[in-house]
Amino acid sequence: MALEKLSSNKVFDGDLVKYKFKSTALGNLDANFNIFIPAHASKGKVPILVYLSGLTCTEDNGAQKAGFLGPAAKEGIAILFPDTSPRGAGIAGEDDDWDFGTVSYIVHCLMCRVYDTIRYDAIRVCGLYGAVGAGFYLNATNPKYEKHYNMLTHVTKELPEVIQQAGLPIDFSRQSIFGHSMGGHGALTLYLSSIFEGVKQYRSVSAFSPISNPTKCPWGEKAFKGYLQGGVEEAKERYDATELISKIPKAPVHILIDYGTADNFLKQGQLLPENFLKAARDAGFDEVQVRVRSQDGYDHSYYFISTFGADHVHFHANFLKA
Amino acid sequence: MALEKLSSNKVFDGDLVKYKFKSTALGNLDANFNIFIPAHASKGKVPILVYLSGLTCTEDNGAQKAGFLGPAAKEGIAILFPDTSPRGAGIAGEDDDWDFGTVSYIVHCLMCRVYDTIRYDAIRVCGLYGAVGAGFYLNATNPKYEKHYNMLTHVTKELPEVIQQAGLPIDFSRQSIFGHSMGGHGALTLYLSSIFEGVKQYRSVSAFSPISNPTKCPWGEKAFKGYLQGGVEEAKERYDATELISKIPKAPVHILIDYGTADNFLKQGQLLPENFLKAARDAGFDEVQVRVRSQDGYDHSYYFISTFGADHVHFHANFLKA
């Protein structure tokens, strides 16, 4: 699992480095990730914030467009940007749709886009073949996908391991997680399920426009029916933030969610943050522990994320530097 | 020249709006631009900063990746992001190269890229057909290009006109300009030539990694030989920042330039900021009027731009809000 450095760009006095390695979790496929290492790391190990990107994205979207690096540089926090999906598994049917598996052809990355409609066309995303991905941050149990679609293990276990083995100056005992849309679902579920397992891998979680109750929305239903042998029922146990928050032991949690009122996916019922909020309040979590903010007039794009990006980094800094 | 609104995204409490119109300057081709209008504009007209993007870019790169919008929102300054080139002129040979005319096929936008090499491949940029452009911010005199390649008129005259006609809340008497690489060349030459013409259209200029002496570098030579009947000699009169600064009347100027020492195009002699600096000092401009900063370890990417983006917006705010 040796890391191969693909590129390094100096940014805000730190470095944004892109690595590639042979991923065991993803069935021996090549996996890329970006990691921002702040200048502070020259003085000792730094805490880390994991950013999970949304449908159709790669490890690049958050690094390039979210506005996290300036605030992270100031706080002395590293940011890990994993990819969203295994690439090149070659499973039959995996690239038929843009919101399931991986897709090579679609006009403009959904999350990069300025336009608000999704247009299908024989055009590749961001100039990178296979740049679209919908791994849903789970471990597949459907035999067709279980060899490769294990983004949960990839993000929670494999990446921390390879990064530590490579000797990068990261202290994984101070780790938090955030994400956007499908990545918001990933961040919330990985955070909550690690509490269930008693591991408490992450100190805090935040999300932009997360898919908050995926067993009740078309994106989630499609993913779970495809990746999981037990389908939506199996997903309720592990992969639905609303289900998880309603069953969680009364541990202190640190959760921040922002979504925009002009988000078309909110209007289409794909996100359902209101379900998550209700479940959290019903379970007795107050506004200090679970904060869900409705942001007037904002949509699903990286313009929205960049507006509140600094806010989220500072939220996590409270816990990472405590 | 009516404006058609293509999209609008709320960002930092303002709006990033994409418009399309039939451009007379570009020979009746459709032209897009983005404009960021800060929330301040609800209380009255705001000053404007024009950002010219580099080779291979569109009106989107700066809006999405440069980190200008947060600082501009705080200062109450609008930002105009024109495209870099006419699109769809259909001139024979115009899409043969990535650094001349427009190109439809190249791997990953040169300026979006994380990788440091330019790879040619039959893959479209950013999923948008014809997204690559090398208009060089001049008015072509070669008969083959003169109908369409008039980015100078497009940026300096046509866009202010159509924006004012549309009634957008912009005060063009308070206007400054900046840009990156080819767009840095554009910003410097439009600023300096407006001083020559006694118009003083722009209050200040800044540039990231500008092509500073294009009559002496391969990119400039190629562009000028193609677009101008008089080739490189004709360009010296109007389109070379180093030539212009050495001949300019002793007016006060406000110029800021940043470039990175790890910039491969700097090493290849495409940028030559040292020539511009020497010409400025020889002409008697001191460090207050012409500031050229070498930034250690930074490259040509938007990671570099985003690091110093807020700095540049604040530099211009000094003059726009004076």
Side-chain angles (χ1 to χ4, degrees), chain A residues 32-215:
Chain A
N32 287 357
F33 65 88
N34 284 314
I35 186 164
F36 170 70
I37 300 177
H40 289 66
S42 64
K43 291 178 237 136
K45 289 190 175 185
V46 293
I48 189 159
L49 190 46
V50 181
Y51 176 75
L52 304 181
S53 209
L55 281 168
T56 80
C57 288
T58 71
E59 71 278 10
D60 288 337
N61 305 68
Q64 296 181 348
K65 299 184 175 180
F68 300 146
L69 305 186
K74 225 176 256 176
E75 297 281 5
I77 294 171
I79 306 190
L80 171 63
F81 300 93
D83 197 354
T84 59
S85 183
R87 306 290 174 187
I91 300 165
E94 124 190 279
D95 60 359
D96 289 352
D97 296 324
W98 69 270
D99 56 357
F100 182 78
T102 61
V103 185
S104 311
Y105 298 95
I106 192 173
V107 167
H108 218 176
C109 171
L110 172 63
M111 299 306 165
C112 306
R113 84 206 184 301
V114 176
Y115 302 99
D116 237 0
T117 52
I118 301 152
R119 298 172 300 164
Y120 289 81
D121 242 320
I123 292 181
R124 296 182 188 192
V125 177
C126 303
L128 292 171
Y129 182 83
V132 179
F136 261 84
Y137 303 106
L138 47 71
N139 284 345
T141 52
N142 177 343
K144 192 171 163 189
Y145 290 99
E146 70 182 355
K147 183 175 171 200
H148 298 295
Y149 279 75
N150 299 307
M151 289 301 293
L152 186 149
T153 299
H154 179 66
V155 169
T156 59
K157 304 235 165 20
E158 186 175 52
L159 284 172
E161 271 170 36
V162 298
I163 289 168
Q164 283 176 301
Q165 278 169 17
L168 299 187
I170 307 297
D171 173 9
F172 277 97
S173 75
R174 291 179 288 157
Q175 193 182 174
S176 286
I177 192 163
F178 63 158
H180 172 227
S181 196
M182 175 183 76
H185 146 74
L188 289 167
T189 54
L190 298 192
Y191 173 81
L192 292 169
S193 60
S194 88
I195 292 178
F196 264 106
E197 289 161 15
V199 192
K200 286 219 70 179
Q201 180 161 6
Y202 305 104
R203 295 191 175 191
S204 50
V205 63
S206 75
F208 305 91
S209 337
I211 303 175
S212 309
N213 192 11
T215 60

Side-chain angles (χ1 to χ4, degrees), chain B residues 141-154:
Chain B
T141 51
N142 177 342
K144 192 171 163 189
Y145 291 99
E146 70 183 356
K147 183 174 172 200
H148 298 296
Y149 279 76
N150 299 306
M151 289 300 294
L152 186 150
T153 299
H154 179 66

Side-chain angles (χ1 to χ4, degrees), chain B:
Chain B
M1 299 204 294
L3 294 183
E4 180 188 343
K5 190 188 279 194
L6 295 179
S7 64
S8 181
N9 298 79
K10 188 166 177 182
V11 56
F12 289 102
D13 211 27
D15 297 292
L16 193 279
V17 191
K18 186 188 281 282
Y19 288 104
K20 180 170 104 170
F21 71 104
K22 193 67 79 185
S23 164
T24 309
L26 304 181
N28 272 327
L29 297 173
D30 283 340
N32 287 356
F33 65 89
N34 284 314
I35 187 165
F36 170 70
I37 300 177
H40 289 66
S42 64
K43 291 179 236 136
K45 288 189 177 187
V46 293
I48 189 159
L49 189 46
V50 181
Y51 176 75
L52 304 180
S53 208
L55 281 168
T56 78
C57 287
T58 71
E59 71 277 10
D60 287 338
N61 305 67
Q64 295 180 350
K65 298 182 175 180
F68 300 147
L69 305 186
K74 227 177 253 176
E75 297 282 4
I77 294 171
I79 305 190
L80 171 62
F81 300 92
D83 198 353
T84 59
S85 183
R87 305 292 173 186
I91 301 165
E94 121 189 282
D95 60 358
D96 288 351
D97 295 324
W98 69 270
D99 57 356
F100 181 80
T102 61
V103 184
S104 310
Y105 298 96
I106 191 173
V107 166
H108 219 177
C109 171
L110 172 62
M111 300 305 164
C112 306
R113 82 206 188 302
V114 176
Y115 300 99
D116 239 358
T117 51
I118 302 152
R119 297 172 299 163
Y120 290 80
D121 242 322
I123 291 181
R124 298 183 186 190
V125 178
C126 301
L128 293 171
Y129 182 81
V132 179
F136 260 84
Y137 304 106
L138 46 71
N139 284 345
T141 51
N142 177 342
K144 192 171 163 189
Y145 291 99
E146 70 183 356
K147 183 174 172 200
H148 298 296
Y149 279 76
N150 299 306
M151 289 300 294
L152 186 150
T153 299
H154 179 66
V155 169
T156 59
K157 304 235 163 23
E158 185 176 51
L159 284 172
E161 271 170 36
V162 299
I163 289 167
Q164 282 176 302
Q165 279 169 17
L168 299 187
I170 308 297
D171 173 9
F172 276 97
S173 75
R174 290 179 287 157
Q175 193 182 174
S176 286
I177 191 163
F178 63 159
H180 172 227
S181 196
M182 176 183 74
H185 146 74
L188 289 167
T189 54
L190 299 191
Y191 172 82
L192 292 169
S193 59
S194 87
I195 292 177
F196 264 107
E197 290 161 15
V199 191
K200 286 217 70 176
Q201 180 162 6
Y202 305 105
R203 295 191 175 192
S204 50
V205 64
S206 75
F208 305 91
S209 337
I211 303 175
S212 308
N213 192 182
T215 60
K216 297 236 169 91
C217 80
W219 279 340
E221 285 167 9
K222 184 172 184 173
F224 298 143
K225 280 178 193 162
Y227 295 128
L228 303 177
Q229 203 151 28
V232 170
E233 283 309 307
E234 183 181 341
K236 281 186 185 163
E237 306 283 308
R238 276 193 90 164
Y239 300 125
D240 186 304
T242 298
E243 294 283 338
L244 289 170
I245 194 79
S246 64
K247 295 176 206 152
I248 204 163
K250 254 333 223 148
V253 298
H254 307 296
I255 302 177
L256 170 66
I257 293 175
D258 277 312
Y259 66 92
T261 61
D263 184 327
N264 283 336
F265 300 122
L266 177 78
K267 295 175 194 170
Q268 291 166 18
Q270 296 280 19
L271 308 182
L272 305 170
E274 66 280 13
N275 292 7
F276 180 81
L277 178 60
K278 183 175 183 309
R281 292 286 177 270
D282 287 351
F285 293 105
D286 65 14
E287 201 170 274
V288 176
Q289 295 199 75
V290 177
R291 188 137 189 232
V292 179
R293 306 189 297 195
S294 157
Q295 303 288 3
D296 188 51
Y298 286 92
D299 60 27
H300 203 70
S301 71
Y302 268 88
Y303 291 118
F304 165 56
I305 300 177
S306 67
T307 302
F308 298 97
D311 225 24
H312 282 236
V313 172
H314 295 140
F315 166 76
H316 291 292
N318 291 328
F319 306 104
L320 291 172
K321 296 166 76 179

